[in-house]
Amino acid sequence: MVKTSQSARRAAQLAGAVAVLGLLTACGGDDSAGGPRTVSGTASPATDAATTASASSTATGTGTDTDSGSTTGTATSSAHPADSATPAATRTTETLVVSGSRCHTSELRASVGRNDPGAGQENFPIVLTNKSGRSCTVRGYPGAAFLDASGKQLGPDPKRSPGTVVTVRLAPGKSAWAGLSFANPEISGAHTATPASLLVTPPDERDPLKVKWKGGKVPVSGNESSVRLIPFSPGTGA
């Protein structure tokens, strides 16, 4: 099997997302190939169940994971359930433990990786790193918005591109990345602005993280001004 770098994989994911932009509506959707799945890699796979939530917005990241927390229950079974005469001493008691609740904003650190341009597109990884002392999960799309120096949003909310939605389990210190891309304004002719920061909201959270933007001008209006997001994957996208 030929090995490829994370940068090559990231570019391939983002290029695939750009190819189907014409199929999107303004509200986007959680398109997944073959349905949600759990993956391994830089981050370990999650074990908790997941449900699909509502569309993303600037204030709230869009995930499909439930925050069930860690719960413990007791289930009693018998080798002969229909036999009421089976002695209680022969029955088996099992303890069921459900773990891996979602990562909360306070447990995460956000950053923006280097641009990986290609095919007239500017492609940046939005990276969330688990800074807490426990393992937790992220799933779905982040919320994102460009801000000027006064904190005013520049341009409309980014739109979601189709992608495979997976639950990424983050051990302490591990990261997940989501792609942010837009057409190069010099090629598209879109009206631009230079943001001071990027507001990032983790999936299913309301509290955002602010990251200094060093990526230069971004499209905010006019032709080809849409900014697109792809869902989180394990690693940093580097």
Side-chain angles (χ1 to χ4, degrees), residues 119-138:
Q121 295 286 313
E122 308 302 316
N123 306 308
F124 295 87
I126 297 175
V127 182
L128 293 180
T129 302
N130 182 4
K131 66 177 184 178
S132 74
R134 74 178 185 104
S135 292
C136 58
T137 63
V138 294

Side-chain angles (χ1 to χ4, degrees), residues 4-225:
T4 58
S5 65
Q6 277 194 328
S7 178
R9 290 196 299 273
R10 170 157 67 89
Q13 286 178 278
L14 291 168
V18 171
V20 292
L21 297 184
L23 300 177
L24 297 173
T25 62
C27 62
D30 265 345
D31 295 3
S32 57
R37 60 190 178 88
T38 299
V39 300
S40 59
T42 302
S44 302
T47 57
D48 57 330
T51 57
T52 302
S54 59
S56 64
S57 66
T58 300
T60 307
T62 300
T64 54
D65 206 13
T66 55
D67 185 15
S68 57
S70 295
T71 60
T72 302
T74 301
T76 302
S77 63
S78 170
H80 305 284
D83 186 1
S84 60
T86 302
T90 67
R91 296 175 184 171
T92 303
T93 300
E94 300 174 301
T95 301
L96 306 178
V97 179
V98 179
S99 61
S101 63
R102 77 168 186 265
C103 300
H104 298 294
T105 301
S106 61
E107 299 174 303
L108 297 168
R109 180 176 66 254
S111 60
V112 177
R114 67 176 180 83
N115 185 18
D116 186 18
Q121 295 286 313
E122 308 302 316
N123 306 308
F124 295 87
I126 297 175
V127 182
L128 293 180
T129 302
N130 182 4
K131 66 177 184 178
S132 74
R134 74 178 185 104
S135 292
C136 58
T137 63
V138 294
R139 178 182 177 85
Y141 297 78
F146 291 112
L147 305 178
D148 64 15
S150 65
K152 180 181 178 181
Q153 181 171 339
L154 298 171
D157 291 347
K159 299 179 180 180
R160 294 177 296 163
S161 293
T164 300
V165 176
V166 298
T167 299
V168 184
R169 185 174 183 179
L170 300 181
K174 297 300 182 180
S175 303
W177 72 280
L180 180 151
S181 66
F182 51 84
N184 185 317
E186 294 183 1
I187 298 175
S188 69
H191 300 295
T192 64
T194 301
S197 59
L198 177 68
L199 207 63
V200 178
T201 308
D204 296 314
E205 292 291 297
R206 292 187 178 276
D207 296 328
L209 297 164
K210 185 181 289 187
V211 183
K212 186 175 181 180
W213 178 254
K214 301 179 181 179
K217 295 181 179 180
V218 302
V220 295
S221 64
N223 184 43
E224 296 292 334
S225 61

